[in-house]
Amino acid sequence: MKDERWILLLPALVNIITIPAGVLYALAPTFPLMILGGIGGSFTIAFRVAPYLALTLEMVPANYRGMAAAATVIASTVVGQALGPLAVGMISDYFTPSVGPVLALRYGMLFAPITLALGIIPFFMAMRDFDKNGLKASSAVHP
């Protein structure tokens, strides 16, 4: 029997690894370190997509999987690519009068790793649906 908890643990662990890369990208004292943080974050972001979609598709009945995949991708795009930059800009604008534009932008860019840290919580909360052997209860998957 395989331990099915990995479908939750993998994205959570990748998020944990991505947080320092995001912090390094935002606060790097040199350009090469900033590039290293950006590359690290880019690689780990790619590793999260497949487990997220697999988890989404596993949780819904077969006849709803297309809609569930579309909703997941649309929601992550709207939140991540539309509201994310807006939030960074608003945080940066808020801090600019007190710390200057460069440091304010760095503070704004820390918003991404903070949201990643918050995004880890639901994965660990979902671990309650598994027994001690790592198998999920059938009622936890389908209503």
Side-chain angles (χ1 to χ4, degrees):
M1 265 187 282
K2 67 176 188 168
D3 189 337
E4 296 175 343
R5 291 177 289 199
W6 280 105
I7 199 158
L8 294 171
L9 287 174
L10 182 62
L13 293 174
V14 171
N15 275 355
I16 291 170
I17 293 168
T18 306
I19 292 168
V23 171
L24 179 62
Y25 183 74
L27 301 178
T30 64
F31 184 73
L33 285 176
M34 183 196 73
I35 295 298
L36 181 65
I39 290 171
S42 296
F43 281 126
T44 56
I45 284 172
F47 281 96
R48 291 194 315 254
V49 175
Y52 283 160
L53 285 175
L55 182 61
T56 300
L57 298 179
E58 188 174 319
M59 293 173 61
V60 298
N63 56 333
Y64 292 109
R65 288 185 180 155
M67 186 62 72
T72 300
V73 171
I74 289 169
S76 64
T77 300
V78 168
V79 172
Q81 295 180 3
L83 297 179
L86 176 65
V88 169
M90 290 174 68
I91 293 167
S92 177
D93 288 346
Y94 177 79
F95 285 109
T96 296
S98 59
V99 297
V102 174
L103 198 53
L105 182 58
R106 288 176 178 240
Y107 289 162
M109 290 171 55
L110 286 175
F111 177 73
I114 291 168
T115 57
L116 281 175
L118 294 174
I120 294 168
I121 296 168
F123 288 104
F124 287 108
M125 289 174 63
M127 296 295 286
R128 295 180 293 195
D129 291 332
F130 291 82
D131 66 13
K132 64 181 179 176
N133 297 320
L135 301 174
K136 61 182 160 280
S138 59
S139 63
V141 178
H142 300 288

